[in-house]
């Protein structure tokens, strides 16, 4: 399942991301805000558990997300502002890290760091702002699946139809929540019209 956010506020923030005058700090903040919008949508049906809370009137029980069953995992480095954003919203979820670098010539991603916590039976929020060819996301999903999670939900800011099609065809059980599906890929596999390289934009390495 692919769910693209349609809210006018979402689209305004994406236009701000495309704007080259948006500096690194505003870029990261905007990615973080869009991530929160994705989390609200992606966890809409997530079960609630009872949580004991000491209130101003003493102890009582209220509903809450079962954060200990959620792992947010990012693909470094462009995914960092998204991971931070999920953990600002849900501070008790667990974080996992993968690092992949897309080869500029072959356009294939290569895993060089794996710091996933125990994924067995957990819901994984896999966050990466860019879904271009889908290669990085595909590799990340395959790796996470080998750790037996209950479910993987992908959260992306911007994606190409080609990348989305790859994930949908190879991993039908993975739901994708995305803020913007763009027109396609350029010859050198950049999302068009896209917003450039999200890692470079976020961390001033242009
Ligand atoms: C970008 C992005 C994704 C990947 C998407 O990372 O963050 O991980 O490319 O491309 P794909 O769908 O074709 O695999 P990049 O390799 O540029 O590294 P960075 O995050 O360090 O900038």
């Amino acid at each position: 399942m692919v769910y693209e956010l349609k809210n006018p506020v979402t689209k305004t923030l994406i236009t701000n991301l495309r704007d080259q005058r948006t500096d690194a700090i505003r870029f990261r903040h905007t990615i973080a805000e869009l991530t929160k919008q994705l989390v609200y949508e992606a966890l809409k049906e997530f079960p609630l558990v009872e949580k004991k809370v000491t209130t101003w009137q003493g102890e009582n029980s209220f509903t809450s997300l079962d954060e200990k069953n959620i792992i947010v995992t990012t693909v470094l480095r462009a995914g960092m502002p998204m991971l931070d954003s999920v953990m600002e919203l849900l501070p008790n979820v667990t974080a996992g890290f993968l690092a992949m670098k897309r080869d500029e010539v072959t356009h294939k991603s290569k895993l060089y760091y794996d710091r996933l916590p125990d994924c067995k039976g957990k819901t994984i929020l896999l966050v990466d702002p860019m879904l271009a060819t889908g290669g990085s996301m595909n590799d990340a999903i395959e790796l996470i699946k080998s750790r037996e999670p209950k479910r993987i939900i992908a959260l992306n800011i911007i994606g190409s139809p080609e990348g989305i099609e790859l994930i949908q065809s190879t991993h039908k059980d993975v739901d994708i929540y995305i803020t913007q599906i763009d027109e396609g890929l350029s010859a050198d596999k950049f999302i068009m019209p896209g917003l450039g390289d999200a890692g470079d934009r976020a961390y001033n390495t242009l």
Side-chain angles (χ1 to χ4, degrees), residues 10 14 24 31 34 39 41-42 52 54-55 59 64 66 75 79 87 100 114 125 134 165 175-176 183 193 203:
T10 309
I14 291 159
I31 292 274
L34 288 166
V39 172
E41 204 57 50
K52 281 206 176 96
T54 307
T55 74
E59 195 169 271
S64 179
D66 192 6
V75 180
M87 293 199 79
M100 290 177 185
D114 167 7
L125 298 178
E165 167 61 26
D175 291 332
I176 300 172
E183 286 161 23
Y203 295 109

Side-chain angles (χ1 to χ4, degrees), residues 100-167:
M100 290 177 185
K101 185 76 190 87
R102 199 166 75 146
D103 187 289
E104 305 285 338
V105 179
T106 64
H107 309 303
K108 297 231 178 315
S109 64
K110 193 170 167 351
L111 178 78
Y112 62 93
Y113 184 70
D114 167 7
R115 199 72 194 262
L116 287 177
D118 182 9
C119 297
K120 197 163 184 173
K122 308 279 169 130
T123 294
I124 314 295
L125 298 178
L126 176 57
V127 301
D128 191 332
M130 314 292 284
L131 185 56
T133 64
S136 311
M137 176 71 63
N138 189 55
D139 292 353
I141 291 171
E142 270 168 23
L143 183 74
I144 296 166
K145 276 189 173 173
S146 72
R147 313 285 168 87
E148 302 175 61
K150 181 179 178 195
R151 188 180 172 203
I152 301 173
I153 304 171
L155 306 183
N156 301 109
I157 302 299
I158 198 156
S160 72
E162 296 93 322
I164 289 167
E165 167 61 26
L166 175 78
I167 302 303

Side-chain angles (χ1 to χ4, degrees), residues 3 10 28 39 46 48 64 68 72 78 82 84 86 92 122 131 137 147 179 183-184 190-191 195 201 205:
Y3 186 96
T10 309
R28 295 196 306 273
V39 172
F46 207 79
L48 290 162
S64 179
K68 69 177 186 311
V72 57
M82 296 187 75
D84 286 343
V86 175
N92 298 312
K122 308 279 169 130
L131 185 56
M137 176 71 63
R147 313 285 168 87
T179 60
E183 286 161 23
F190 274 95
I191 300 167
L195 40 83
R201 297 280 312 274
T205 50

Side-chain angles (χ1 to χ4, degrees), residues 13-20 158 180 182 193-195 201:
L13 294 180
I14 291 159
T15 297
N16 293 345
L17 284 181
R18 296 193 204 273
D19 189 335
Q20 289 302 294
I158 198 156
Q180 174 68 33
D182 262 3
L195 40 83
R201 297 280 312 274

Side-chain angles (χ1 to χ4, degrees), residues 51-62:
K51 183 178 177 181
K52 281 206 176 96
V53 178
T54 307
T55 74
W56 65 293
Q57 290 180 317
E59 195 169 271
N60 209 336
S61 201
F62 296 95

